[in-house]
């Protein structure tokens, strides 16, 4: 059944917006798949927080870096830029915490010489281009905070979590973890608790201390909320954008070029800034309080769920941890992990009732049924038969109705009414719909496309199959799925 569910909800990968910043005035829109510097910066920082990355070893000042049980800050300068100010910043932060050293890892001899000429006390380094080899050149310089075990705990990049206060938080975390590892129960190292702020900081800022929760969020659909809009060129739509970013028209996100760290539904979308770390208004609210926040965006029009409270277990940190939703994945497996969650969410909705077959729809929707009969959807299973793949498990989920679900397609002989992409492939299982007593109940038990958001519901349903990452049969050079173009071929008239 799980294999069948993987075909139900799309995976939305890292992309960037079309048009807007980055597009030539009056010219063609920017490549939607072109990664901008701040996109790359956020992705690299998120990768560091999601994975466990060891700092590549190098020698500096007669020491082998990283040293065992010795946390450090490593500056990766950008070639051709004066590193003096960055070295001063790193040295000052390291000096503020006992036991933390500071180094630079220069990409070339010229940058190393410039670092030495700067004469900054409290920091030394060497030519070590391999240390920053994984960091794209256009997002450097970087400050890498390395823990006592030699792993990069956090990465700071210009324009993305580049904040002196955050540097100090992170340095204190390194010192705290090192002392704790040594069993220092009476140590004087204490964590720093940020003061409440009305400014939006972004999830990377929270991740400095709440690494586990950041990783947890990173594996939810909330973390790719803006990408859902980008995928269908709606990321500039004022009707949509406010529910897909942090702090829209409230001093937060206004543009992806300027505010990439605030894109998507992040920590502060639920834990609003003025409440964060406030003893009188704590972050940990009751479930009902959070649901009241959820329904501002997750209305019936914009959600699969009739009751947003049903979705809490997919995004609530304690509930997700208890249910063990997150597999042991690295950053590269993130799209699959998010897709799995979406599959579970959609399966929960569809599992509330049974499939009945398109012939049942004919009784009330004769015109729509006739129109559907003339579309490629109705002949989807016949296409498999012509190719000799009528029993191929990789193909059946997208060429049948309700494959693997209750009362859905089982095989061509026993469930012939479920061959092809039938009504319920798009509108959901129909038993409750046909049993409904009134129009309001009928609408609440089916996905009526004219009642649902094209972005939040319709596109996701279509892309459950019309997605290059889920279609082993996709033809080379085939145009990517575009809702506006494809819907014309199947829309009921």
């Amino acid at each position: 059944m799980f294999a069948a569910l993987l075909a139900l909800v799309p995976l939305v990968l890292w992309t960037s917006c079309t048009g807007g910043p980055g597009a030539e005035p009056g010219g063609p829109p920017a490549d939607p798949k072109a990664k901008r510097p701040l996109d790359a910066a956020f992705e690299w920082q998120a990768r560091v927080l999601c994975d466990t990355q060891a700092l590549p070893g190098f020698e500096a000042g007669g020491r082998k870096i990283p040293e065992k049980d010795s946390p450090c800050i490593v500056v990766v300068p950008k070639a051709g830029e004066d590193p003096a100010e960055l070295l001063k910043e790193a040295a000052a932060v390291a000096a503020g915490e006992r036991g933390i050293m500071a180094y630079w890892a220069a990409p070339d001899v010229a940058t190393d010489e410039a670092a030495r000429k700067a004469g900054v006390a409290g920091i030394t380094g060497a030519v070590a281009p391999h240390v920053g080899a994984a960091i794209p050149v256009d997002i450097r310089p970087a400050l890498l905070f390395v823990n006592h075990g030699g792993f990069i705990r956090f990465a700071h990049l210009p324009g993305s979590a580049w904040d002196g206060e955050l540097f100090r938080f992170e340095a204190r975390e390194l010192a705290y973890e090192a002392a704790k590892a040594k069993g220092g129960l009476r140590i004087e190292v204490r964590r720093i608790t940020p003061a409440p702020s009305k400014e939006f900081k972004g999830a990377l800022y929270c991740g400095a201390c709440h690494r586990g929760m950041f990783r947890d969020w990173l594996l939810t659909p909330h973390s790719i909320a803006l990408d859902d809009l980008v995928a269908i060129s709606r990321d500039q739509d004022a009707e949509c954008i406010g529910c897909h970013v942090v702090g829209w028209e409230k001093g937060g996100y206004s543009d992806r070029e300027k505010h990439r760290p605030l894109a998507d539904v992040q920590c502060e979308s639920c834990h609003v800034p003025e409440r964060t770390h406030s003893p009188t208004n704590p972050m940990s609210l009751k479930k009902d309080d959070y649901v009241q926040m959820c329904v501002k965006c997750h209305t019936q029009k914009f959600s699969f769920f009739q009751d947003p409270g049903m979705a809490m277990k997919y995004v609530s940190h304690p509930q997700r941890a208890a249910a063990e939703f997150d597999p042991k994945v690295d950053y590269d497996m993130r799209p699959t992990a998010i897709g799995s969650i979406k599959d579970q969410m959609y399966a929960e909705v569809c599992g509330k009732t049974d499939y009945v077959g398109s012939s049942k729809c004919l009784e009330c929707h004769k015109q729509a049924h006739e129109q559907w009969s003339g579309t490629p959807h109705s002949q989807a299973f016949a296409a498999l038969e012509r190719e000799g793949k009528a029993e191929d498990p990789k193909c059946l989920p997208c060429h049948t109705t309700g494959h693997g679900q209750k009362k859905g397609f089982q095989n061509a002989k026993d469930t012939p009414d479920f061959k092809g992409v039938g009504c319920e492939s798009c509108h959901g299982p129909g038993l409750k719909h046909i049993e409904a007593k009134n129009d309001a109940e009928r609408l609440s038990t089916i996905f009526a496309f004219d009642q649902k958001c094209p972005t939040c519901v319709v596109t996701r349903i279509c892309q459950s199959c019309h997605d290059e990452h889920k279609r082993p049969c996709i033809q080379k050079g085939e145009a990517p799925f575009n809702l506006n173009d494809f819907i014309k071929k199947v829309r009921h008239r």
Side-chain angles (χ1 to χ4, degrees), residues 43-233:
E43 179 175 343
W44 201 82
Q45 290 169 293
R47 183 183 294 275
V48 167
L49 285 167
C50 187
D51 299 347
T52 301
Q53 298 188 27
L55 180 77
F58 68 105
E59 292 190 12
R63 299 170 179 264
K64 290 186 177 181
I65 313 302
E67 293 183 286
K68 184 179 180 181
D69 298 327
S70 179
C72 63
I73 301 172
V74 178
V75 177
V76 179
K78 188 172 184 177
E81 292 186 355
D82 184 356
E85 292 302 314
L86 186 56
L87 300 182
K88 291 177 184 177
E89 180 82 56
V93 173
E97 295 294 341
R98 183 169 51 187
I100 295 182
M101 306 295 291
Y103 306 95
W104 72 76
D108 52 40
V109 173
T111 306
D112 183 61
E113 291 178 349
R116 295 182 187 281
K117 288 180 180 179
V120 178
I123 187 169
T124 186
V127 178
H130 63 289
V131 173
I135 308 173
V137 173
D138 62 346
I139 65 173
R140 300 179 191 176
L143 278 179
L144 307 181
F145 284 67
V146 184
N147 70 8
H148 60 283
F151 295 98
I152 303 173
R153 195 187 189 285
F154 205 86
H156 298 270
L157 302 162
S160 190
W162 192 268
D163 184 292
E165 182 182 36
L166 188 53
F167 298 162
R168 293 189 291 276
F169 288 165
E170 192 60 32
R172 177 61 61 88
E173 281 294 299
L174 294 183
Y176 175 85
E177 290 177 356
K180 185 178 179 181
K182 293 178 180 178
L185 298 179
R186 292 181 291 178
I187 56 174
E188 296 182 358
V189 178
R190 294 291 183 268
R191 283 176 161 166
I192 301 174
T193 301
S197 170
K198 292 187 177 181
E199 296 181 0
F200 293 98
K201 300 289 189 178
L204 285 171
Y205 198 97
C206 303
C209 296
H210 303 285
R211 184 188 183 106
M213 289 185 176
F214 177 92
R215 185 179 185 277
D216 185 47
W217 162 79
L218 199 65
L219 299 175
T220 70
H222 275 168
S223 73
I224 57 170
L226 184 59
D227 290 326
D228 285 345
L229 295 184
V230 171
I232 60 169
S233 302

Side-chain angles (χ1 to χ4, degrees), residues 177-421:
E177 290 177 356
K180 185 178 179 181
K182 293 178 180 178
L185 298 179
R186 292 181 291 178
I187 56 174
E188 296 182 358
V189 178
R190 294 291 183 268
R191 283 176 161 166
I192 301 174
T193 301
S197 170
K198 292 187 177 181
E199 296 181 0
F200 293 98
K201 300 289 189 178
L204 285 171
Y205 198 97
C206 303
C209 296
H210 303 285
R211 184 188 183 106
M213 289 185 176
F214 177 92
R215 185 179 185 277
D216 185 47
W217 162 79
L218 199 65
L219 299 175
T220 70
H222 275 168
S223 73
I224 57 170
L226 184 59
D227 290 326
D228 285 345
L229 295 184
V230 171
I232 60 169
S233 302
R234 296 287 294 273
D235 54 304
Q236 303 295 322
D237 192 324
E239 183 183 4
C240 304
I241 190 71
C243 284
H244 291 253
V245 297
V246 176
W248 177 252
E249 295 184 335
K250 296 178 181 179
Y253 180 97
S254 64
D255 179 80
R256 192 176 183 117
E257 188 72 15
K258 298 176 182 177
H259 296 130
R260 176 60 186 90
L262 297 179
D264 306 313
V265 177
Q266 300 190 17
C267 312
E268 292 159 302
S269 298
C270 304
H271 309 288
V272 294
E274 58 265 32
R275 186 170 67 230
T276 303
H277 299 118
S278 170
T280 58
N281 201 357
M283 292 184 291
S284 299
L285 299 180
K286 296 179 181 178
K287 174 184 174 182
D288 291 342
D289 293 327
Y290 278 121
V291 169
Q292 292 305 308
M293 299 181 69
C294 299
V295 296
K296 294 177 181 179
C297 288
H298 292 282
T299 63
Q300 278 198 23
K301 179 180 179 181
F302 300 106
S303 177
F304 282 123
F305 290 100
Q306 301 300 323
D307 174 14
M310 293 171 59
M312 285 298 293
K313 63 185 176 184
Y314 297 102
V315 295
S316 168
H317 299 300
Q319 292 185 55
R320 282 170 55 79
E324 297 182 351
F325 278 111
D326 298 341
K328 301 296 182 181
V329 298
D330 58 23
Y331 187 86
D332 290 328
M333 294 178 65
R334 178 172 171 244
T336 301
I338 293 175
S340 176
I341 292 171
K342 288 184 174 182
D343 293 339
Q344 294 176 62
M345 294 172 71
Y346 189 69
E348 182 173 345
V349 174
C350 291
K352 296 297 181 180
T353 189
D354 292 340
Y355 287 82
V356 296
S358 297
S359 61
K360 291 289 185 180
C361 305
L362 175 61
E363 298 173 14
C364 297
H365 304 281
K366 182 177 180 180
Q367 184 177 351
H369 190 278
E370 289 177 352
Q371 187 268 330
W372 163 79
S373 298
T375 68
H377 276 170
S378 69
Q379 301 302 312
F381 190 79
L384 290 187
E385 292 178 314
R386 288 193 298 271
E387 297 291 330
K389 296 184 177 181
E391 297 181 3
D392 191 328
K394 293 185 297 184
C395 303
L396 287 174
C398 286
H399 288 258
T400 62
T401 301
H403 179 258
Q405 294 273 24
K406 289 192 298 183
K407 304 291 181 67
F409 179 86
Q410 306 301 321
N411 58 67
K413 180 181 178 181
D414 297 328
T415 51
D417 198 28
F418 297 92
K419 295 193 298 184
V421 179

